[in-house]
Amino acid sequence: MTSSTPPAFLLSGTIVTDGTVVENAVVAVTGERIAYAGPRTSFDPRSLPGLEEVELPPGTLLLPGLVDLHCHGAAGGGFPGGDLPSARSAA
């Protein structure tokens, strides 16, 4: 893979999203985008050639699209209060 080729990989596990649980599922990622997330039986690997399957531990939960913005802060400052000087200190 060259540096101009975006990474493309396939993750296997149980998908948890929107209150739904899908076992025996895969998430295909190309570059910075989720190209597929769903049951393995509905995924055609020929639709996304060149995917590298990444081995994950048994029982892995996949949360496609989750962005965790959770942050407590640091250096005596924090983010939850919405105080700009405190947030700047934490950053």
Side-chain angles (χ1 to χ4, degrees), residues 5-33:
T5 304
F9 52 94
L10 188 68
L11 307 170
S12 298
T14 299
I15 290 178
V16 179
T17 185
D18 290 335
T20 302
V21 176
V22 181
E23 299 198 31
N24 191 25
V26 294
V27 175
V29 179
T30 58
E32 296 180 358
R33 130 182 195 273

Side-chain angles (χ1 to χ4, degrees), residues 25-90:
V26 294
V27 175
V29 179
T30 58
E32 296 180 358
R33 130 182 195 273
I34 297 172
Y36 176 84
R40 180 181 285 277
T41 55
S42 299
F43 177 68
D44 181 0
R46 296 171 297 185
S47 66
L48 296 167
L51 291 177
E52 175 186 344
E53 186 144 8
V54 176
E55 179 114 8
L56 298 174
T60 293
L61 295 178
L62 303 169
L63 308 165
L66 173 69
V67 177
D68 183 3
L69 298 177
H70 182 125
C71 184
H72 290 276
F79 302 100
D83 176 57
L84 183 57
S86 182
R88 283 190 174 154
S89 177

